[in-house]
Amino acid sequence: MNGFRIGYGEDAHALAPGRRLVIDSSPVGTVAHSDGDVLLHALSDALLAAYAMGDIGQYFPPSNPNYRGLDSRVILQTVLQRLADQVGEFRILNLSAVVVLDQPRLGPTRRDIQRQVAGELGIDVSRVGVTFKTSEGMAPDFIQARATVLLHTE
Ligand code: C5P
Ligand code: MG
């Protein structure tokens, strides 16, 4: 397992009021089985994919009512622990993520989003790239996140 690995993940949800969107930085939320944080879900899948360990649906089946409303941070931390169990000590070199969303504009909260994700991963903010795109009005009720990670094990 030693050397570099990349991982890629995606997530998408319909928008709904009153639920979380991208960690704690927006008033708009999504309809989803767990708490619907698309960015952390895409990131969690990317981390698993880097080591061909499946995806979060296997660890947290949507059919299981226990996982309704589950905090995305818990999902991410569980994934990090599974990785450590399976591959040993690993480093996350950087993360590059895209959030596609028409409204609200997330640019003003970019630094906050970066800080929160960096905190969850235990890495420096300078290693967390987050970009935003609109759908150009083609999908106003929709949010999507894509995430790529680069990892290294000794
Ligand atoms: O998708 P588009 O090219 O129109 O995005 C233009 C700009 O709008 C980018 O700088 C992007 O960071 C910003 N943006 C944003 N919040 C969004 C979508 C895009 O701040 N929800
Ligand atoms: Mg554009």
Side-chain angles (χ1 to χ4, degrees):
M1 286 287 190
N2 61 330
F4 291 99
R5 292 288 182 114
I6 62 161
Y8 178 71
E10 291 193 2
D11 195 28
H13 288 295
L15 291 173
R19 303 196 60 180
R20 278 208 321 231
L21 176 66
V22 184
I23 43 186
D24 285 333
S25 298
S26 170
V28 183
T30 59
V31 175
H33 183 69
S34 68
D35 75 344
D37 189 318
V38 289
L39 180 53
L40 294 189
H41 289 182
L43 170 58
S44 297
D45 266 358
L47 289 163
L48 288 171
Y51 291 98
M53 287 170 59
D55 61 48
I56 55 175
Q58 285 175 243
Y59 299 93
F60 303 97
S63 55
N64 186 334
N66 291 337
Y67 299 139
R68 196 163 296 280
L70 184 62
D71 190 325
S72 299
R73 293 176 182 85
V74 172
I75 293 178
L76 178 57
Q77 293 306 324
T78 303
V79 164
L80 292 170
Q81 188 56 54
R82 293 288 176 113
L83 250 62
D85 293 346
Q86 175 117 348
V87 308
E89 205 175 312
F90 65 92
R91 266 193 318 141
I92 300 169
L93 293 174
N94 78 310
L95 144 68
S96 177
V98 185
V99 178
V100 181
L101 176 72
D102 282 1
Q103 290 292 339
R105 295 293 159 145
L106 295 174
T109 62
R110 189 190 321 265
R111 195 71 183 165
D112 183 42
I113 291 171
Q114 285 176 283
R115 271 201 208 99
Q116 291 192 55
V117 174
E120 289 298 318
L121 296 175
I123 62 177
D124 193 79
V125 165
S126 65
R127 295 178 183 272
V128 179
V130 184
T131 61
F132 307 117
K133 294 303 289 181
T134 69
S135 75
E136 301 285 357
M138 291 181 289
D141 302 322
F142 176 81
I143 181 169
Q144 182 174 43
R146 308 184 183 117
T148 309
V149 288
L150 180 64
L151 303 115
H152 188 259
T153 46
E154 296 298 338

